[in-house]
Amino acid sequence: MVSVQSLCKSVPDAGQALQILSNVSFQLEQGRSLAIVGASGSGKSTLLGLMAGLDTPSQGKVVLAGQSLFDMNEEGRAAFRAAHVGFVFQSFQLLDHLTALENVSLPLELARVRNVRGLASDMLFKVGLGDRLNHFPRTLSGGEQQRVALARAFVAKPALIFADEPTGSLDAQTGERIISLMFDLQKNSGSTLILVTHDEALAARCDTVFHLQAPSSVVA
């Protein structure tokens, strides 16, 4: 499902090249889960952005579901993400002017599937928010907003889920509930899950844990 090959990323800094990632390589099979951990500044979020095709590397390849991301142009990568990838963010990234139901409907509308509202509603019931369908994000707690975000990420049954500090904005008890829910959804959907986290309990739930060190390389 995922193949990262000799991935490097550097950026200009005061007339020199600042190396963020250096020679990162690994593979992950479909349906498995991977946690990427490391100190702040080790390149975790940069690596996630590269694997999602949101950024381009200085060197190396990322192959997702048999497709080489950087053989595509930006429009092609965006279309690939819409068809195959779901995202969960620390800050939820819900659209404030849309209800929970409308937020979860968005990936389905982009995929042009039928029965959008029915599928989105069913997913919100699955994450325990059947009584919050028409609530706006500002009226929901942090845990409820992250459950909406999980529903949005999984509703279109993507092959791959990227999660960036999915419990980082939540208290420990709420975070544990979100962790359990996320892994239940992953197991039931068969999606591959790749997440960045500082949460050791969350990382331990994954099949594989990769530690990034600066200058970054992967240590299993």
Side-chain angles (χ1 to χ4, degrees):
M1 172 55 66
V2 179
S3 178
V4 175
Q5 304 169 21
S6 303
L7 203 62
C8 300
K9 179 67 177 182
S10 60
V11 295
D13 181 54
Q16 299 181 345
L18 175 64
Q19 195 77 17
I20 300 174
L21 294 171
S22 178
N23 198 34
V24 176
S25 298
F26 63 86
Q27 294 187 346
L28 187 66
E29 296 177 356
Q30 183 173 351
R32 306 288 284 177
S33 56
L34 167 69
I36 301 171
V37 300
S40 296
S42 60
K44 301 186 300 299
S45 293
T46 298
L47 177 56
L48 200 71
L50 290 170
M51 286 190 290
L54 298 169
D55 193 7
T56 56
S58 305
Q59 181 180 318
K61 294 180 64 175
V62 174
V63 180
L64 303 180
Q67 301 293 314
S68 180
L69 282 188
F70 303 112
D71 288 343
M72 307 176 193
N73 59 22
E74 187 173 346
E75 182 177 338
R77 290 194 296 273
F80 181 87
R81 284 192 297 272
H84 300 288
V85 180
F87 291 92
V88 182
F89 300 97
Q90 176 178 349
S91 56
F92 318 134
Q93 297 292 324
L94 302 177
L95 296 179
D96 292 337
H97 64 287
L98 299 182
T99 65
L101 182 61
E102 290 167 340
N103 269 284
V104 177
S105 296
L106 280 177
L108 298 171
E109 291 171 351
L110 290 172
R112 298 182 179 179
V113 304
R114 296 180 179 180
N115 190 27
V116 167
R117 292 180 68 86
L119 293 171
S121 177
D122 287 347
M123 181 57 73
L124 282 166
F125 272 90
K126 285 181 181 179
V127 301
L129 293 176
D131 59 345
R132 296 287 193 272
L133 301 183
N134 297 311
H135 285 61
F136 291 94
R138 65 179 178 275
T139 69
L140 301 174
S141 69
E144 288 172 332
Q145 289 186 63
Q146 194 61 301
R147 279 190 275 164
V148 174
L150 286 174
R152 181 184 58 188
F154 281 95
V155 69
K157 299 181 180 179
L160 184 62
I161 298 286
F162 289 113
D164 192 356
E165 297 285 2
T167 60
S169 297
L170 306 174
D171 63 79
Q173 186 176 12
T174 303
E176 179 56 36
R177 290 197 295 267
I178 292 298
I179 290 171
S180 295
L181 177 59
M182 181 172 63
F183 281 101
D184 286 345
L185 291 170
Q186 186 228 352
K187 180 180 179 180
N188 292 332
S189 68
S191 299
T192 302
L193 173 65
I194 298 179
L195 59 90
V196 163
T197 185
H198 287 96
D199 186 336
E200 294 294 336
L202 173 52
R205 293 282 295 269
C206 293
D207 298 313
T208 305
V209 180
F210 283 169
H211 296 265
L212 280 180
Q213 300 174 339
S216 295
S217 58
V218 172
V219 181

